[in-house]
Amino acid sequence: MEEFLSKVHAVLNEKFPGEVLSAELVYDFPVVTVKPNHSHAILQFLKEDASFNFHFLTDLTGVQTADEKELGVIYHLHNLPANIRIRIKTFFSITKPEIKSVTDLWPAANWMERETYDFFGVKFQGHPNLKRILNVDEMDIFPLRKEYPLEDQTRDDKSDKMFGR
Amino acid sequence: MAELVKKSSVEIVTKPEGLEGQGFFATRVDSVMGLARANSLWPLPFATSCCGIEFMATMASHYDLARFGMERLSFSPRQADLLMVMGTIAKKMGPTLRQVYEQMAEPRWVISVGACACSGGIFDTYSVLQGIDRIIPVDVYVPGCPPNPEQIIDGILKIQELAKHESSRRRYSPEYKALLNSYGIE
């Protein structure tokens, strides 16, 4: 797996100089962190390059960093014939949460990007139908961001004096 | 033969208050209607999670809800008298539940089974409705996580008591209209 990771690292560095921030093995799983601006081109390259052939998007999800200043989008790619997986991470500022949509590469990204928008407020540029998918349409927050409380704010039977919250 | 009938202890329903004599029995229409309604409620099961499993046990042969005149479940709200909400209701499902309630014909009763339907239960979170009484009026609450079939039967018997003693004019009363209006239901 290390061999494969160094190969990916080398090829991406050559193709997209300065774009790869880190490449490491996490529990024997290759994880590559890239800058957000050219993430679409990198993903397209990984999909279309014959030697990598990551043509299957297993998962796409969002994350907020612990310092609450950055949002991230995580892509899990799978090369089914060779059975090799890779995880691509990219982080950007929470004040301008925009990244290019990959729905043109993988139609499966459509709902997953809507979900990520629904919970984290990531605006996927070029998404054909970027609206909430799981939460109610009237919701005006992005509930998985750390700035919003988990609990329902309309509940009045759990006061601090009774439960010490 | 007459003696045999006399000795039998089978009593289908308790007789309402009334005047009795040879060959006649006079009572209030309300009492007779209540009797009929209470013992032939058609429940609409709105089961979304584990409380629904307890309800299945309640309906099955061991607990046998049919003993109480609930042989027939109605899966159309238009023919149902009793809406049984069993399980977590997500906020996104709220409008659907409300629509089901609105489609039911009067008189209609609602029983909220389980902690989630009553108050949101353990799901004190942004996506879950914190009690169905925020969108529709509820007659009987059955707490528990999930409640036993015995508890569900107890709740049903309470609904039957309500049905039995409800005045036939209640649904036309200004208080009832005000109650529905407070939920925004015409």
Side-chain angles (χ1 to χ4, degrees):
Chain A
M1 205 44 79
E2 271 169 36
E3 221 172 86
F4 171 73
L5 183 72
S6 48
K7 181 188 158 202
V8 174
H9 198 176
V11 172
L12 286 183
N13 260 339
E14 191 201 325
K15 274 264 180 196
F16 306 94
E19 290 295 320
V20 179
L21 295 172
S22 75
E24 54 187 342
L25 276 184
V26 179
Y27 296 105
D28 214 28
F29 198 107
V31 179
V32 178
T33 310
V34 301
K35 287 185 184 168
N37 291 349
H38 294 91
S39 65
H40 183 274
I42 293 169
L43 289 162
Q44 185 165 17
F45 170 73
L46 287 173
K47 184 196 174 195
E48 287 166 5
D49 184 78
S51 63
F52 291 125
N53 193 21
F54 286 112
H55 60 106
F56 186 79
L57 179 70
T58 310
D59 195 14
L60 186 165
T61 185
V63 68
Q64 185 175 17
T65 52
D67 63 6
E68 305 192 13
K69 287 177 185 150
E70 283 190 326
L71 288 177
V73 175
I74 320 292
Y75 304 86
H76 287 232
L77 308 183
H78 195 170
N79 173 349
L80 286 166
N83 197 19
I84 296 174
R85 295 166 191 268
I86 193 169
R87 188 185 303 152
I88 309 292
K89 293 184 177 186
T90 179
F91 293 93
F92 37 86
S93 164
I94 198 165
T95 52
K96 196 168 176 282
E98 288 170 4
I99 192 164
K100 214 169 165 196
S101 167
V102 292
T103 43
D104 53 336
L105 301 178
W106 296 280
N110 190 316
W111 283 13
M112 295 195 273
E113 286 185 350
R114 276 176 69 185
E115 184 192 10
T116 309
Y117 165 73
D118 195 351
F119 285 102
F120 292 96
V122 177
K123 293 185 181 68
F124 290 91
Q125 310 280 305
H127 189 286
N129 183 27
L130 194 64
K131 59 176 190 187
R132 290 188 184 272
I133 183 167
L134 292 173
N135 285 302
V136 282
D137 292 331
E138 303 84 59
M139 187 175 268
D140 49 5
I141 63 170
F142 301 113
L144 287 192
R145 281 197 190 175
K146 295 179 201 298
E147 61 196 280
Y148 299 110
L150 175 71
E151 290 89 358
D152 188 279
Q153 293 305 296
T154 59
R155 198 155 158 168
D156 45 19
D157 59 333
K158 284 181 164 181
S159 73
D160 283 350
K161 101 180 160 220
M162 288 161 77
F163 291 92
R165 285 205 306 202
Chain B
M1 187 66 194
E3 273 168 26
L4 270 179
V5 171
K6 246 183 212 169
K7 271 180 199 163
S8 162
S9 64
V10 173
E11 197 177 285
I12 296 164
V13 289
T14 344
K15 200 160 51 178
E17 249 176 69
L19 275 176
E20 204 174 353
Q22 191 139 38
F24 79 91
F25 177 73
T27 184
R28 293 162 60 228
V29 174
D30 276 9
S31 311
V32 180
M33 268 166 57
L35 210 61
R37 280 175 178 172
N39 293 293
S40 66
L41 285 174
W42 282 14
L44 166 64
F46 197 97
T48 54
S49 47
C50 41
C51 289
I53 304 292
E54 294 299 309
F55 172 73
M56 291 172 207
T58 314
M59 280 305 295
S61 55
H62 191 86
Y63 293 97
D64 194 13
L65 206 55
R67 290 179 291 160
F68 307 103
M70 301 205 169
E71 192 77 72
R72 187 205 185 268
L73 293 183
S74 172
F75 291 98
S76 157
R78 294 176 202 282
Q79 290 152 11
D81 308 303
L82 170 63
L83 178 60
M84 302 184 72
V85 183
M86 299 165 284
T88 320
I89 302 297
K91 279 181 184 160
K92 198 154 185 174
M93 196 180 259
T96 310
L97 177 64
R98 197 188 151 94
Q99 193 181 10
V100 166
Y101 178 78
E102 282 172 352
Q103 284 177 347
M104 287 169 68
E106 296 279 15
R108 53 191 167 183
W109 291 271
V110 177
I111 181 169
S112 161
V113 175
C116 293
C118 293
S119 71
I122 60 167
F123 300 106
D124 181 6
T125 175
Y126 57 88
S127 60
V128 171
L129 194 65
Q130 303 296 305
I132 59 163
D133 52 8
R134 299 197 168 201
I135 51 168
I136 54 173
V138 175
D139 292 283
V140 170
Y141 297 86
V142 180
C145 188
N148 289 341
E150 287 95 332
Q151 285 173 274
I152 298 178
I153 290 176
D154 187 52
I156 298 258
L157 292 181
K158 289 211 159 45
I159 290 276
Q160 288 195 343
E161 282 307 304
L162 286 177
K164 218 175 271 179
H165 297 112
E166 182 175 305
S167 148
S168 58
R169 290 173 194 281
R170 178 181 171 238
R171 307 275 165 175
Y172 301 100
S173 68
E175 289 85 1
Y176 185 69
K177 287 217 170 91
L179 172 74
L180 286 191
N181 281 338
S182 73
Y183 283 95
I185 299 168
E186 275 301 301

